[in-house]
Amino acid sequence: MSSNYSLNGRSILITGGTGSFGQRFVRRLYELYKPARVVIYSRDELKQFEMAEKINHPTLRYFIGDVRDAERLQRALKGIDTIVHAAALKQVPAAEYNPIECIKTNILGAENIVNAAINEKVERVIALSTDKAANPINLYGATKLCSDKLLIAANHLSGQGGTRFSIVRYGNVIGSRGSVIPFFKERRKTGKLPITDVRMTRFWITLDDGAAFVDRMLGVMKGGEVFIPKIPSMKITDLAKAVAPECTHEIVGIRPGEKLHEVMVPRDEALNTMEYKDFYVIQPSFHFWDYPQDAKYEDMEGKPVAEDFEYRSDNNDRWFGFEELKTVIG
Ligand SMILES: NC(=O)c1ccc[n+]([C@@H]2O[C@H](COP(=O)([O-])OP(=O)(O)OC[C@H]3O[C@@H](n4cnc5c(N)ncnc54)[C@H](OP(=O)(O)O)[C@@H]3O)[C@@H](O)[C@H]2O)c1
């Protein structure tokens, strides 16, 4: 797909670059582009050491730092023109139990990204969001919504010709660290899988598709959008059967902070939402620059969604069936 902002020759910093997404994104960068410099920004030296054993390149730098540390972040951004902000605390139960820690990383960290990016005249910043930020009911989702709002509003601070900030929002990533597939695989040994609710549905995206979508939206972003790919849903019971067909299921009930179904475009955002061939865009409610007259992406004209539109994991028209899940899980 064509992109008018090529990553060739760019200096790109990825916060949370040692995470599931970050590692896949870095591999993609070196497979498809010739970046001038790629900087990994994260806290844990062991994760960086282990990643460096697997992924190394003369232009790849490992920088230890915390997104909570504004001074360090600004230092890391010297000469950077593109930021992919993926660092986050993302475990729902941990966030409920340690709310202020999640607030410091996900909200104050986002604020630090905004200030440092504007100070260092970074051209584009794209941040990863989650379906849990849409109509949030848990602290993790609420902090990601605040982070989204901070980045969107930052387009006002930077002004025309300044840093552009946009968001990519998607659902559960198949097989990412701490997700349900590794959990089910581990529990398989016991012969019994815990199922929260037989009705539960989730959106699903592969790491490859997530990284490709972020790359593509970096190319076309104008600033202020929440980009949402059209992705399939799956039933949690189908996933359990695909991972461990021989296991029995134990119904354990929905955990604190969990929803039965996830939402990516809330109904109340329908008035700001445009539909494109394979993605939606929630436009900023405060319009920047040439919005909404110039709402074209990759030469595609968008069309407004219906006023009562809501993009939910249970009303999706694309599903991962049992057989497809088996293939994806491998
Ligand atoms: N996985 C999913 O299902 C999913 C779905 C939708 C959206 N997302 C979003 O996608 C992004 C990436 O997720 P992921 O699955 O790749 O997460 P992950 O595997 O848990 O990686 C998180 C990364 O963030 C770093 N990090 C955490 N706190 C930090 C801090 N204070 N300062 C700097 N770095 C920090 C971690 O390294 P250190 O611990 O070494 O600092 C790690 O590199 C997150 O923003 C998440 O909200 C994920």
Side-chain angles (χ1 to χ4, degrees):
M1 200 58 76
S2 72
S3 151
N4 48 16
Y5 184 82
S6 169
L7 294 176
N8 284 317
R10 298 267 171 208
S11 293
I12 305 154
L13 179 133
I14 304 159
T15 69
T18 56
S20 306
F21 169 85
Q23 295 205 28
R24 186 64 202 95
F25 194 77
V26 171
R27 281 190 195 281
R28 179 181 176 86
L29 283 178
Y30 284 112
E31 279 160 16
L32 297 185
Y33 306 102
K34 288 193 169 44
R37 193 155 56 102
V38 176
V39 179
I40 303 297
Y41 187 88
S42 64
R43 299 164 305 168
D44 176 20
E45 59 183 355
L46 181 62
K47 282 197 212 91
Q48 292 198 356
F49 173 79
E50 287 171 351
M51 180 173 167
E53 297 276 288
K54 291 184 288 180
I55 312 179
N56 228 322
H57 192 277
T59 62
L60 179 59
R61 303 275 179 275
Y62 287 89
F63 208 100
I64 300 236
D66 193 320
V67 290
R68 299 179 187 186
D69 183 344
E71 208 178 310
R72 182 73 176 155
L73 192 53
Q74 187 144 344
R75 169 80 56 202
L77 286 183
K78 293 278 175 242
I80 294 292
D81 50 53
T82 309
I83 300 176
V84 178
H85 178 41
L89 291 183
K90 60 164 208 190
Q91 293 294 329
V92 171
E96 297 298 296
Y97 196 70
N98 309 282
I100 195 66
E101 295 304 308
C102 193
I103 289 167
K104 284 180 184 166
T105 295
N106 295 359
I107 302 181
L108 302 183
E111 170 74 349
N112 289 337
I113 293 280
V114 164
N115 290 330
I118 293 174
N119 290 346
E120 291 304 318
K121 301 193 169 29
V122 170
E123 287 180 48
R124 293 192 181 195
V125 179
I126 205 157
L128 273 77
S129 180
T130 158
D131 47 13
K132 294 181 178 62
N135 294 345
I137 60 160
N138 54 53
L139 189 91
Y140 165 57
T143 62
K144 293 293 282 188
L145 178 63
C146 291
S147 169
D148 295 354
K149 297 283 183 195
L150 281 165
L151 272 110
I152 291 166
N155 289 285
H156 284 302
L157 300 177
S158 55
Q160 190 153 18
T163 312
R164 295 182 192 190
F165 298 86
S166 296
I167 308 292
V168 160
R169 173 183 293 168
Y170 52 61
N172 291 30
V173 176
I174 297 173
S176 63
R177 276 189 339 139
S179 68
V180 65
I181 293 179
F183 175 69
F184 276 172
K185 283 185 173 165
E186 185 56 34
R187 285 301 184 91
R188 186 178 184 176
K189 298 170 199 155
T190 66
K192 201 190 276 182
L193 295 188
I195 301 288
T196 47
D197 190 301
V198 290
R199 294 166 297 171
M200 183 174 273
T201 61
R202 287 293 179 263
F203 287 109
W204 278 104
I205 187 166
T206 63
L207 262 183
D208 280 349
D209 287 348
F213 190 69
V214 170
D215 172 3
R216 183 175 158 207
M217 295 303 114
L218 254 179
V220 299
M221 59 182 265
K222 303 174 200 298
E225 310 94 331
V226 180
F227 292 107
I228 295 160
K230 293 183 181 175
I231 53 178
S233 294
M234 61 97 199
K235 291 189 177 127
I236 200 76
T237 47
D238 282 345
L239 179 71
K241 277 186 257 162
V243 173
E246 76 285 7
C247 284
T248 57
H249 297 170
E250 183 189 10
I251 308 303
V252 294
I254 285 198
R255 295 179 305 168
E258 264 189 340
K259 289 180 185 172
L260 202 50
H261 309 293
E262 294 287 1
V263 178
M264 282 224 268
V265 180
R267 183 168 300 212
D268 292 322
E269 292 275 30
L271 286 176
N272 294 326
T273 303
M274 300 284 284
E275 179 174 12
Y276 297 82
K277 185 168 153 266
D278 55 349
F279 60 90
Y280 297 100
V281 174
I282 303 178
Q283 296 181 337
S285 36
F286 294 100
H287 290 162
F288 313 102
W289 318 312
D290 47 4
Y291 256 102
Q293 296 83 352
D294 180 18
K296 261 184 167 182
Y297 296 95
E298 296 166 343
D299 294 329
M300 281 186 273
E301 296 276 3
K303 61 171 197 288
V305 300
E307 266 182 36
D308 61 350
F309 174 79
E310 188 168 49
Y311 187 33
R312 278 198 328 261
S313 59
D314 61 325
N315 73 359
N316 199 350
D317 54 13
R318 292 180 56 199
W319 286 84
F320 257 166
F322 173 64
E323 290 302 327
E324 276 167 304
L325 280 168
K326 266 195 348 196
T327 314
V328 171
I329 293 160

